[in-house]
Amino acid sequence: MDNLPQWLPDTPIVPFTVLLLVVLTVPPLFERLRLPGLVGLIAAGVFLGGDGIGLLDHTDDYMKLFTDIGKIYLMFVAGLEIDLSEFQRKKDRSLVFGFATFAIPLTAGTFMASQFGFGWNASILIGSLLASHTLLGYPIVSRLGVAGNEAVTITIGATIFTDIAALLVLAICLSIHGGDFSASSLIIQVTALGLYTVAVLVGLDRLGKIYFRRTGDEESNQFLFILLAVFVAAVGAEIINVDQIVGAFLAGLAVNDVVGRGPVENKVEFVGSTLFIPFFFVGMGLLLDLGAFMESFTQNLGFVIAIVLTLLGAKFLASLTVKLIYGYNLNSLMTMWSLSIPQVAATLAAALAGFNAGLIPDWVFNSVVVLMLITSVIGPLATSHFARRLPLSGGSLDVGSDEDDNALPSLTFFPKEKPFKVVVPVANPLTERYLIEMAAILARQRSGSIVPLSVAEAHLQMDEPELDVAIRRSERLLERALEVSHEFQVEAIPRVRIDGDVAHGISRTAREENASAIVMGWNENIGIRARLFGSVVDSVFWSSHCPVGVMRLLDDPLNIHKILVPVKSLAPQVMEAMRFAQLFAESNQAELTLLHVCDRRTTPQQIQEFETALMKIFHGGVSQVPGQMKTVVSDDVAQAILEASQEMDMVVLCSRRRRTAGGLAVSDVATKILGQISCSMVLFGEPHW
């Protein structure tokens, strides 16, 4: 095996190919073993490095480049993913918890490191490594429907404070380590850092808004602008003798509001989570010295135990402090603690910076990797255990609290204060009739109208005859749509739109018509371009102002009489999917079944509380459709839904825009369901607000 590299060409293409193979195969394998995918990437780095088969070398320029880009991208995504709106909602309490969960671990870690003989500068740096946290547990609280709980909200908001403060401490420690320490130099460094922070946060934010406003829908140029902003900020940080990751994180915060939760952010995070961030974790594995790593469990076992216990204890003390101040219960305390203990993004990046600068030795770096591995497992497990005991939330509401019934989330889908319109994009003659029928049934129930839409796609090189052909095809599609709408005695307002982008043409028409919803067909034949850059459905989901129902109708909508709606939480998006199903069921005299799938650790009391709250919301809507509640205890949500769907004519699923944790994509139950479901299906997407 040691001679393996000699048989391969001496070109950077080889390691790049190896990295792609690792990223494609290793994380899914480890996730099947119930281990985080990033653990597999680090293990792959060890195997491919000097202590393994020697296929990759961390000293090579291209590996340094890949690792640096991944490190910068990791911190950028960490800043980009912070939900500033959540921070604004509870900013006072978020700042209190942020200060507590930063200052207490920093102090405890500094004291612990000093007891092992480190100087004050190195001790403070080690303490700062414990002060930040990565929200690995966010997908869990989102899935459980408690993301709107105040304990979760303030922990998310606290991430802004802890990450910025920890990175600033890192910058000061590295600056002191790199030169002669003096009060004047410290003042100069802190001043430069403050001015630089303001310049990035304010300057990039304003520049980005101006650029995005002028470029409109040019997503490729906007994507390049974001990339340029990240690396300019990283270079600027180095100019003032601050580590790159500080600039990258600040850039993420700066453009957070610019990109919003739209397709550009989706593409930025996709590139990072698919390529560069996994490369960083593989590079971390290459840096690990197995001999020194094993010493961490022999000669330095005391330090490993101390740093883990210090982190767990300090984070618990910080959560306890906030509990005592604001009167939270035990489950809120433990949820805040479990969400704040994973040490991945900022911790690893800062530890690598300290190690490269020579401020901490290799065995401390290895101990930090052990800390990352332990907390990345304990944190999500603890979050899953304690967060399920929190009151279910709909938006910011805590269901089960002492608030009155009027506080329950209302079913606001299809508001009555505006004319009811459904935009129906048509492109495939084979599926057109069922789509128009579905829209007509909904519109007839609310005395509304439908807007059949055909987008004639045009481009700069298209000549007049080609455009004429496209327009005539659109007109033929709309003629069929009018025939169907007349059968249902529903007003139809046909629209032909000439646009260079089909998705934007759909969303713009919906906005111009002030549509209540968009009903469109599902395309199972997704080509390579759609896989790389997103399908029309993806783009409409991101850009629409109103709810979007993507449908795969296997039978005439008039024959759909049994509808299944899986309900995993009381979040507004899920409730509006239920309202959609209620409206259709009422217009088509259909039976509606609400399916709640919970795991085996859910108590009977929690199940009863959820069912009571859900049925209260269900019967509180305008529709009087009778519905039944069905609860299934299963650890495989997708399989439970598939089994229940076998007796149904149609399943209504709620699609929520996925967030990533530390740059690594989280799983999506809908993916498995869409591939195996045997009845008609509606994938309901929330509007982009």
Side-chain angles (χ1 to χ4, degrees), residues 398-409:
D398 288 345
V399 177
S401 65
D402 295 331
E403 301 181 30
D404 57 47
D405 293 344
N406 294 329
L408 289 169

Side-chain angles (χ1 to χ4, degrees), residues 77-78 158 174 186 261 321 332 390 428 434 487 605 633 644 663 673:
V77 171
L174 293 182
L186 179 60
R261 301 300 172 200
T321 301
S332 296
L390 294 176
N428 186 352
Y434 286 174
E487 292 178 19
Q605 180 182 357
V633 178
I673 298 174

Side-chain angles (χ1 to χ4, degrees), residues 278-347:
F279 287 1
F280 167 74
F281 286 109
V282 175
M284 293 284 292
L286 295 177
L287 288 174
L288 283 180
D289 184 336
L290 283 182
F293 191 77
M294 295 308 299
E295 283 186 11
S296 300
F297 295 95
T298 55
Q299 300 179 10
N300 302 304
L301 180 60
F303 183 83
V304 175
I305 296 175
I307 196 173
V308 172
L309 293 181
T310 299
L311 171 77
L312 298 178
K315 291 292 186 181
F316 178 81
L317 184 58
S319 302
L320 178 62
T321 301
V322 175
K323 172 191 181 298
L324 296 176
I325 294 175
Y326 296 115
Y328 295 135
N329 59 30
L330 179 61
N331 290 324
S332 296
L333 158 69
M334 298 306 294
T335 300
M336 289 188 293
W337 172 74
S338 63
L339 284 172
S340 62
I341 60 176
Q343 304 293 300
V344 181
T347 303

Side-chain angles (χ1 to χ4, degrees), residues 435-662:
L435 282 177
I436 297 297
E437 283 189 17
M438 174 66 78
I441 290 173
L442 295 173
R444 185 174 59 184
Q445 184 64 23
R446 289 290 302 271
S447 302
S449 60
I450 64 174
V451 183
L453 168 67
S454 181
V455 180
E457 191 172 6
H459 51 80
L460 294 177
Q461 290 76 30
M462 178 178 284
D463 54 24
E464 192 68 23
E466 287 181 293
L467 183 58
D468 289 340
V469 170
I471 293 175
R472 284 198 298 270
R473 181 180 183 276
S474 296
E475 291 173 344
R476 288 195 297 270
L477 289 170
L478 295 181
E479 288 175 1
R480 298 191 188 99
L482 286 174
E483 293 174 0
V484 177
S485 64
H486 290 157
E487 292 178 19
F488 285 80
Q489 298 180 343
V490 173
E491 180 186 4
I493 310 169
R495 291 284 185 268
V496 175
R497 187 181 189 97
I498 302 173
D499 205 302
D501 186 285
V502 174
H504 289 156
I506 295 171
S507 59
R508 288 167 183 158
T509 302
R511 172 69 75 174
E512 293 165 0
E513 296 289 340
N514 195 20
S516 304
I518 299 174
V519 170
M520 57 191 303
W522 175 265
N523 181 14
E524 297 186 17
N525 299 318
I526 300 178
I528 185 65
R529 183 182 183 278
R531 294 181 185 277
L532 291 176
F533 301 106
S535 65
V536 172
V537 170
D538 297 330
S539 298
V540 173
F541 266 10
W542 282 107
S543 59
S544 66
H545 78 287
C546 60
V548 180
V550 182
M551 307 188 178
R552 187 189 67 174
L553 301 174
L554 303 182
D555 195 1
D556 192 312
L558 294 174
N559 297 329
I560 295 176
H561 299 295
K562 293 183 179 180
I563 305 173
L564 178 70
V565 184
V567 181
K568 61 181 178 180
S569 70
L570 301 182
Q573 299 87 352
V574 182
M575 295 299 96
E576 298 208 338
M578 183 175 73
R579 178 68 180 111
F580 174 87
Q582 280 184 289
L583 185 61
F584 178 80
E586 184 178 23
S587 62
N588 211 38
Q589 292 77 50
E591 299 175 3
L592 190 59
T593 301
L594 305 178
L595 175 67
H596 175 51
V597 183
C598 56
D599 61 39
R600 304 184 189 282
R601 289 172 291 181
T602 307
T603 66
Q605 180 182 357
Q606 291 172 325
I607 294 176
Q608 181 62 40
E609 289 177 354
F610 182 88
E611 290 181 351
T612 301
L614 178 61
M615 296 310 294
K616 186 178 296 184
I617 298 171
F618 181 86
H619 293 301
V622 178
S623 173
Q624 301 301 317
V625 174
Q628 61 175 333
M629 180 78 198
K630 181 179 181 182
T631 299
V632 176
V633 178
S634 175
D635 293 327
D636 191 337
V637 178
Q639 188 59 38
I641 295 175
L642 288 171
E643 291 177 359
S645 69
Q646 294 177 2
E647 302 175 357
M648 299 293 166
D649 299 323
M650 184 173 73
V651 175
V652 179
L653 298 174
C654 177
S655 172
R656 301 188 65 184
R657 297 186 184 93
R658 298 189 299 167
R659 297 174 64 89
T660 60

Side-chain angles (χ1 to χ4, degrees), residues 168-371:
L168 294 182
V169 171
L170 167 71
I172 294 173
C173 289
L174 293 182
S175 178
I176 293 174
H177 178 72
D180 296 330
F181 172 74
S182 65
S184 60
S185 65
L186 179 60
I187 293 174
I188 293 173
Q189 181 64 60
V190 172
T191 303
L193 190 55
L195 294 175
Y196 168 76
T197 301
V198 173
V200 173
L201 292 179
V202 177
L204 278 184
D205 179 62
R206 292 183 178 178
L207 186 62
K209 288 178 179 178
I210 294 173
Y211 185 82
F212 270 54
R213 185 168 60 250
R214 291 185 176 181
T215 53
D217 298 320
E218 298 176 10
E219 294 177 7
S220 58
N221 288 339
Q222 293 171 354
F223 173 77
L224 292 176
F225 173 84
I226 296 299
L227 284 186
L228 178 62
V230 175
F231 289 97
V232 166
V235 172
E238 288 193 306
I239 292 176
I240 63 169
N241 297 319
V242 176
D243 194 83
Q244 301 165 335
I245 60 177
V246 179
F249 182 77
L250 292 176
L253 287 178
V255 301
N256 192 307
D257 186 45
V258 176
V259 299
R261 301 300 172 200
V264 176
E265 184 206 38
N266 193 32
K267 290 176 173 61
V268 169
E269 292 189 347
F270 172 79
V271 171
S273 62
T274 304
L275 290 177
F276 298 125
I277 295 175
F279 287 1
F280 167 74
F281 286 109
V282 175
M284 293 284 292
L286 295 177
L287 288 174
L288 283 180
D289 184 336
L290 283 182
F293 191 77
M294 295 308 299
E295 283 186 11
S296 300
F297 295 95
T298 55
Q299 300 179 10
N300 302 304
L301 180 60
F303 183 83
V304 175
I305 296 175
I307 196 173
V308 172
L309 293 181
T310 299
L311 171 77
L312 298 178
K315 291 292 186 181
F316 178 81
L317 184 58
S319 302
L320 178 62
T321 301
V322 175
K323 172 191 181 298
L324 296 176
I325 294 175
Y326 296 115
Y328 295 135
N329 59 30
L330 179 61
N331 290 324
S332 296
L333 158 69
M334 298 306 294
T335 300
M336 289 188 293
W337 172 74
S338 63
L339 284 172
S340 62
I341 60 176
Q343 304 293 300
V344 181
T347 303
L348 281 183
L352 181 60
F355 172 66
N356 290 335
L359 187 52
I360 59 174
D362 56 351
W363 59 270
V364 172
F365 175 75
N366 292 335
S367 300
V368 173
V369 174
V370 175
L371 175 70

